[in-house]
Amino acid sequence: MDKNHLQHQLDMKRSLLDQGYLDEQFIQLEELEDDDNPNFVEEMVTTFYANSARLLQNIEQALGSRPIDFTKLDNYMHQFKGSSSSIGATRVQKECTLFMEYCEAANAEGCIRTFRQVKQEHASLKTKLEDYFKLARQGGPSAGGQAGR
Amino acid sequence: MGMSTESQFHVLAVDDSIIDRKLIERLLKTSSYQVTTVDSGTKALEFLGLHEDDQSNPETPSVSPNNHQEVEVNLIITDYCMPGMTGYDLLRKIKESSSLRDIPVVIMSSENVPSRISRCLEEGAEEFFLKPVRLSDVNRLRPHMMKTKLKDPKQENEENKEESGKPESRSQEEKEEQQQHHHQQQLHHLPQQQHSNSNKRKALEEGLSPDRTRPRYSGLTTVV
């Protein structure tokens, strides 16, 4: 495998970790990849984004209804936050935490504002991970998981 | 990947989150366990051969002989926060069932709430894992499964029914006492594994958030 290519991939990952987009959990996921499950991380991320789109829609709707049901919002966000933490999406998690604090305080404006940030981080991470996996795939069949070691 | 001559341990994983089911399945399969995942406590009980209506009707035994558990389950790992039946509810139902109570149960939760943790342990959970669950957590499961393999499960069921008073078949009270004692011992004699594991128990003792290197939610939520 091209040494530069591998280095590029490692650098990208290191950068994502350093900037706080991803945390240790992402590394843990990579360590679960093997020859029989070489794309586990990408599968997890894909599932996350498919599943979270639905949750975000639910939250959007709940934020639009009057009066706002903060308990419902909190429940949705709790689920969303849990999923984010399972893939190591640190920045997304932080915004989720903030959102839930506003829910508890029944602060609608805070929720609406923070939700924009949640979506932003969520979308931003998606782009970065898409680039990362694309790079991993280009490196060869075992590039994805092995690069982490 | 060689095939072991021993039959594999079979774990039933319960979680309403698809991501977490995927994760726990991978973690368990990596550890060479057979895995079944379900998305609710109700489905878990169905899989285990226990039906809700059997329990509420005093005239029906808790497990009808014809609904005998088809597949042996050596451990149940369940999320705590689930809609409908929580992991705690599921734990209770399992411990209340004469046929299922000896299956070790482990609880997972994204929230570090000491009172929640102690409640689950007191109810008979073997372990309480903070999410996201890691391989180091799953590595702790084997001893619990080994314990139940030492006695033949079918033989044990018969012993319980007959109340033969053999040393292996202890009364539920004795077992609970033992479990509590065991848990207390575990709190003081923490295995020298990864930092994060001892901190889970520490969280219970000191009521603090575990000190992981990655940023964590401070955990001071009010839990409904």
Side-chain angles (χ1 to χ4, degrees), chain A residues 31-34, chain B residues 25-33 135:
Chain A
E31 287 179 5
L32 293 174
E33 286 185 340
D34 56 24
Chain B
E25 184 180 36
R26 186 85 279 275
L27 285 167
L28 291 166
K29 283 189 169 162
T30 293
S31 310
S32 304
Y33 300 129
L135 209 48

Side-chain angles (χ1 to χ4, degrees), chain B residues 135-149:
Chain B
L135 209 48
S136 56
D137 297 313
V138 173
N139 290 340
R140 296 172 68 91
L141 298 179
R142 193 167 291 267
H144 301 297
M145 288 187 264
M146 292 299 299
K147 257 189 290 182
T148 57
K149 273 289 195 191

